[in-house]
Amino acid sequence: LTDRVLDFSNRIAALVTAECPGKLLSVYVYSDYVHPPVTVKPHPSLVLLSVSGEYASREQANWALDNISAWSRFGNQILWRPNALIGFTPTVPQNFARRMFNDLETFKVNNLVGTDFDCNSHQWAGRGLIFYALAKGHINPDRLCYDDIFDDYCRAGFGKAAEAVKDYFNRLEKLTEDAAATEKGFAGYFDVLDIGSLEACIERARQAAAGDKEALSRVEFLA
């Protein structure tokens, strides 16, 4: 079916660029035509809008990397428009910041020219690190790695509570990865959720931040 959609899109692109040389057109690679084509190659003027990417499923997260890598081989510009920020849909803390950041860095050297992120839940207490790392990935002239950005986030944001907060986010990252491995969506998240270990990290962060009103308020925000 991808070949059929691309054949149609290529005909439109050929007509438009004949009248308007240099113009670009966008086409989704999505739904039943998300898989790379068998015989048809996309017209050079087509910008491919990929919706691949989901972090509540390890299988889907790995597949998205393979899928976008396959599409990038044609040399067309790519725009990443995933629903990935939806994560595990309930209002629960989660951390797939590392995976999303590293995926973005990979796509940036594989013809990615822009992004359009849907599903921003505004759950800043539970997903703030994800939003922050994603934003930093878009503006990263020094090519910092995720751990550089993560370390700075905890140090600058939480002061003496930085190590306890890092432990909290690392545990949350493992929880998120373990839940994604179950391939059960949010039901898998609740299967592996260990509130006690997360609360213990928050309590250690509270104690470490004592006397630092700003850092303590940020710890309470996480809580």
Side-chain angles (χ1 to χ4, degrees):
L1 189 58
T2 303
D3 289 67
R4 181 176 179 176
V5 171
L6 270 187
D7 180 68
F8 172 80
S9 302
N10 285 350
R11 296 184 192 196
I12 300 298
L15 291 169
V16 171
T17 54
E19 294 291 327
C20 308
K23 291 294 183 182
L24 299 175
L25 298 90
S26 62
V27 58
Y28 275 100
V29 290
Y30 187 36
S31 185
D32 292 331
Y33 47 97
V34 69
H35 301 285
V38 178
T39 59
V40 178
K41 294 182 179 180
H43 191 281
S45 68
L46 292 178
V47 179
L48 309 174
L49 275 63
S50 174
V51 189
S52 297
E54 179 186 336
Y55 297 103
S57 162
R58 182 175 294 176
E59 181 180 347
Q60 286 297 313
N62 292 337
W63 178 81
L65 275 173
D66 293 340
N67 182 257
I68 293 183
S69 295
W71 279 102
S72 72
R73 294 176 189 141
F74 292 110
N76 292 66
Q77 295 183 11
I78 293 175
L79 190 141
W80 193 24
R81 204 226 58 82
N83 295 315
L85 283 176
I86 198 170
F88 294 95
T89 49
T91 307
V92 292
Q94 51 200 282
N95 181 13
F96 47 85
R98 183 189 304 274
R99 266 190 175 265
M100 179 170 272
F101 178 90
N102 288 340
D103 284 354
L104 178 61
E105 287 296 301
T106 299
F107 299 154
K108 280 161 57 177
V109 294
N110 283 278
N111 304 329
L112 186 73
V113 295
T115 65
D116 177 10
F117 281 89
D118 202 346
C119 305
N120 189 327
S121 64
H122 300 288
Q123 295 175 25
W124 299 100
R127 309 191 191 196
L129 175 60
I130 297 170
F131 302 146
Y132 181 82
L134 180 61
K136 295 294 283 188
H138 280 80
I139 309 171
N140 189 15
D142 296 324
R143 300 300 303 275
L144 298 176
C145 70
Y146 170 79
D147 284 310
D148 291 333
I149 291 170
F150 176 45
D151 289 346
D152 184 64
Y153 179 85
C154 294
R155 178 194 57 77
F158 298 92
K160 293 180 179 179
E163 287 306 312
V165 169
K166 281 184 67 175
D167 189 23
Y168 167 79
F169 281 122
N170 284 330
R171 288 173 183 268
L172 195 57
E173 180 179 0
K174 184 179 186 306
L175 186 159
T176 304
E177 286 284 330
D178 289 347
T182 70
E183 302 297 338
K184 292 167 61 178
F186 67 82
Y189 179 94
F190 290 113
D191 281 347
V192 302
L193 177 60
D194 181 0
I195 295 176
S197 68
L198 299 177
E199 288 185 331
C201 294
I202 293 294
E203 184 55 36
R204 285 194 290 110
R206 283 193 184 104
Q207 295 173 13
D212 185 338
K213 184 177 179 180
E214 187 171 31
L216 187 59
S217 71
R218 292 173 177 173
V219 171
E220 294 300 338
F221 187 63
L222 293 181

